[in-house]
């Protein structure tokens, strides 16, 4: 490996004791003994809290912070975050149930996602949560359900903006999209809402995900506020809140650096300060999934075998693609790159070698690290995949090849 190749951002969020990674105050080898089997996902409670604190510190003080729980719906994680954030965004009735079980107040839960069926809408209305409407058909179904039940549904409109969040890992707004209602249709939709018996909350504008570029996020914030305020200024129904999305990214691959949260926060404070005092009193919401939980989580599997094949070292483990699709490179990546991976019980030892970490599945796609420089590992050692607290277990095909599912703990 030449020295000028891009490197992974240093994974320094977990302390190291005697060459062993420490999660939630517990050395990894001991944590593995406590859990009793590998593979597993471990999330560090304190790191999640610290991340929320840093968001509170840098973002404007009166902005509301929501957790988008599809990033990590583990009930213990949602419960922990329920006490730290202002609301939970859910994307299914299953997630709604977890958020309600965690004790989140219904009016602090919002439900987004295309294709909500009649029964799901009826559940959400009965629960009293806010439905982010993704189409005009959904609006009419909700209006019918309001008539039939006598309930007063809480709704917001998801707007498909006329711009994109540039250089995002995943674009979720702008152009033609399955999400939301096109911005140019919104004035007519607001007119329709004014005729109906709905408890109208406001607008939801989410343009993209996994962004590490400050200028791109700043530009999206500026355009989002502009669009939201312009729609609000002509709305026949009061707009109480505007959810401006999120999309803050974390560094996964060589050459990527952590997001400059302070710069994003300073700009957003400035933009909010520029809103004329004559504007209606609107509360703003930022919704984040990945940024809150990704760096607090690791995936851990054990080396079963070390194989030498024509000069290349393969560490064959009991974990893989079926547990962690994203680390294998098959969750939205165009070109496969390595996640940050380490030998968790041999951190920072001087003896290293180039090795590939693979799983037990009969497919060459089952690759957790491709020819990475790692501490020299042997059977029994613990392989750690960092940045695994979001879109890990529940974004993976756990049934593929019928191996056991991994455990999850919040330490
Ligand atoms: C998935 C999703 C999020 C969370 O995105 P992250 O990149 O995990 O922060 C937020 N809002 C909506 C509407 C989503 O669909």
């Amino acid at each position: 490996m030449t020295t000028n190749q891009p490197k992974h951002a240093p994974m320094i969020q977990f302390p190291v004791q005697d060459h062993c990674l420490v999660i939630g105050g517990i050395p990894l080898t001991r944590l593995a003994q406590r859990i009793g089997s590998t593979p597993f996902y471990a999330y560090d409670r304190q790191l999640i809290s610290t991340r929320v604190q840093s968001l509170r510190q840098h973002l404007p003080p009166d902005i509301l912070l929501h957790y988008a729980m599809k990033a990590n719906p583990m009930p213990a994680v949602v419960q922990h975050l329920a006490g730290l954030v202002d609301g939970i965004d859910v994307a299914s009735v299953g997630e709604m149930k977890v958020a309600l079980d965690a004790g989140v107040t219904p009016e602090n839960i919002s439900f987004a996602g295309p294709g909500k069926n009649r029964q799901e809408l009826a559940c959400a209305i009965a629960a009293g949560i806010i439905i982010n409407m993704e189409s005009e058909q959904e609006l009419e179904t909700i209006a019918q359900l309001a008539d039939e039940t006598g309930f007063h549904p809480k709704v917001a409109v998801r707007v498909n903006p006329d711009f994109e969040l540039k250089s995002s890992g995943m674009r979720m707004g702008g152009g033609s999209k399955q999400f939301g209602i096109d911005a140019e249709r919104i004035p007519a939709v607001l007119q329709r809402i004014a005729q109906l018996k709905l408890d109208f909350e406001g607008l939801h504008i989410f343009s993209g995900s996994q962004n590490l570029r400050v200028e791109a996020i700043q530009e999206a914030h500026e355009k989002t506020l502009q669009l939201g305020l312009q729609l609000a200024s002509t709305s026949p129904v009061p707009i109480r809140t505007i959810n401006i999305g999120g999309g803050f990214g974390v560094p996964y691959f060589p050459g990527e650096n952590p997001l400059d949260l302070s710069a994003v926060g300073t700009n957003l404070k400035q933009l909010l300060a520029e809103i004329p005092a004559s504007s209606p009193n609107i509360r703003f919401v930022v919704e984040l999934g990945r940024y809150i939980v990704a760096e607090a989580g690791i995936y851990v599997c054990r080396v079963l075998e070390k194989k030498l094949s024509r000069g290349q070292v393969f560490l064959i483990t009991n974990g893989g693609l079926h547990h962690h699709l994203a680390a294998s490179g098959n969750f939205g990546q165009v070109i496969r790159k390595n996640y940050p991976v380490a030998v968790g019980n041999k951190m920072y030892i001087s003896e290293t070698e180039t090795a590939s970490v693979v799983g037990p599945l009969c497919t060459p796609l089952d690759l957790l690290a491709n020819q990475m420089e790692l501490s020299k590992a042997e059977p029994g050692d613990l392989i750690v995949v960092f940045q695994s607290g979001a879109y890990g277990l529940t974004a993976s095909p756990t049934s593929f090849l019928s191996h056991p599912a991994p455990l999850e703990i919040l330490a």
Side-chain angles (χ1 to χ4, degrees):
M1 210 193 254
T2 55
T3 46
N4 53 8
Q5 261 183 321
K7 285 190 162 54
H8 283 106
M11 293 293 120
I12 47 176
Q13 62 270 52
F14 300 98
V16 170
Q17 252 175 36
D18 303 328
H19 299 287
C20 188
L21 207 63
V22 176
I23 297 96
I26 310 163
L28 181 63
T29 44
R30 182 163 180 166
L31 188 64
Q33 286 170 334
R34 187 189 108 180
I35 292 169
S37 65
T38 52
F40 57 85
Y41 277 91
Y43 315 116
D44 188 315
R45 190 187 300 270
Q46 188 54 49
L47 284 180
I48 295 175
S49 302
T50 309
R51 181 46 65 97
V52 172
Q53 274 163 20
S54 125
L55 283 160
R56 299 283 194 197
Q57 183 198 332
H58 291 291
L59 294 179
D62 40 8
I63 214 152
L64 301 174
L65 180 62
H66 282 198
Y67 173 55
M69 68 172 272
K70 79 173 188 288
N72 188 331
M74 184 197 187
V77 168
V78 176
Q79 178 104 46
H80 179 61
L81 277 164
L84 299 174
V85 297
D86 305 303
I88 303 281
D89 294 334
V90 304
S92 68
V93 166
E95 288 190 357
M96 174 183 93
K97 181 182 183 304
V98 174
L100 289 169
D101 285 352
V104 182
T105 316
E107 53 263 40
N108 294 335
I109 300 175
S110 55
F111 180 10
K116 301 181 200 77
N117 68 34
R118 203 178 166 83
Q119 196 202 338
E120 290 164 335
L121 292 169
C123 292
I125 293 168
I129 68 169
I130 299 169
I131 302 169
N132 289 341
M133 301 183 296
E134 304 259 357
S135 72
E136 293 178 62
Q137 179 184 313
E138 199 174 307
L139 168 60
E140 295 306 326
T141 307
I142 291 169
Q144 274 175 15
L145 286 165
D147 279 345
E148 286 168 26
T149 59
F151 294 140
H152 206 46
K154 288 185 188 304
V155 296
V157 190
R158 174 143 177 204
V159 182
N160 176 28
D162 45 7
F163 57 85
E164 297 193 330
L165 176 50
K166 288 183 189 148
S167 40
S168 271
M170 279 183 211
R171 287 194 197 130
M172 295 180 66
S176 301
K177 285 282 177 309
Q178 72 267 51
F179 307 111
I181 299 174
D182 292 345
E184 52 278 20
R185 283 290 305 156
I186 298 293
V189 168
L190 293 171
Q191 294 291 343
R192 177 73 183 129
I193 289 170
Q195 300 165 349
L196 298 167
K197 283 198 223 99
L198 300 173
D199 185 359
F200 186 62
E201 185 64 30
L203 306 173
H204 176 214
I205 309 175
F206 179 77
S207 48
S209 178
Q210 177 50 20
N211 204 304
L212 289 167
R213 281 192 45 217
V214 171
E215 315 79 63
I217 294 177
Q218 287 174 340
E219 188 187 319
H221 280 163
E222 189 178 340
K223 291 183 173 170
T224 301
L225 287 174
Q226 231 169 39
L227 175 62
L229 291 170
Q230 183 224 321
L231 292 169
S233 70
T234 57
S235 175
V237 274
I239 307 256
R240 296 199 289 252
T241 62
I242 299 180
N243 179 331
I244 63 168
F248 301 1
V250 299
Y252 288 110
F253 306 120
E256 292 183 342
N257 294 306
L259 178 69
D260 184 351
L261 183 63
S262 157
V264 169
T266 305
N267 176 261
L268 195 52
K269 280 180 202 156
Q270 178 81 34
L271 289 172
L272 293 188
E274 283 166 7
I275 296 175
S278 58
S279 295
N281 200 11
I282 297 172
R283 285 179 315 167
F284 295 93
V285 179
V286 166
E287 58 176 1
L288 296 168
R290 183 191 318 269
Y291 193 75
I292 294 177
V293 288
E295 301 195 324
I298 56 173
Y299 172 67
V300 182
C301 56
R302 201 180 284 281
V303 179
L304 302 175
E305 248 184 70
K306 186 168 180 171
K307 179 184 276 187
L308 198 64
S309 168
R310 304 205 168 109
Q312 284 192 21
V313 177
F314 289 87
L315 300 170
I316 301 173
T317 71
N318 57 359
L321 164 159
H322 53 317
H323 299 161
H324 201 332
L325 187 67
S328 78
N330 295 290
F331 190 60
Q333 288 183 43
V334 182
I335 300 166
R336 191 193 176 285
K337 293 179 195 146
N338 289 325
Y339 262 49
V341 169
V343 184
N345 56 313
K346 291 182 172 170
M347 298 297 289
Y348 310 124
I349 64 168
S350 53
E351 215 181 345
T352 64
E353 68 185 346
T354 300
S356 293
V357 178
V358 301
L361 306 189
C362 289
T363 160
L365 298 177
D366 191 10
L367 184 61
L368 291 177
N370 186 29
Q371 298 208 42
M372 257 180 106
E373 178 155 358
L374 296 170
S375 297
K376 201 164 180 185
E378 302 301 332
D381 284 338
L382 295 170
I383 298 290
V384 166
V385 181
F386 291 101
Q387 310 297 72
S388 298
Y391 305 107
L393 179 55
T394 59
S396 300
T398 47
S399 302
F400 188 37
L401 274 99
S402 305
H403 284 281
L407 297 172
E408 277 183 301
I409 58 136
L410 176 64

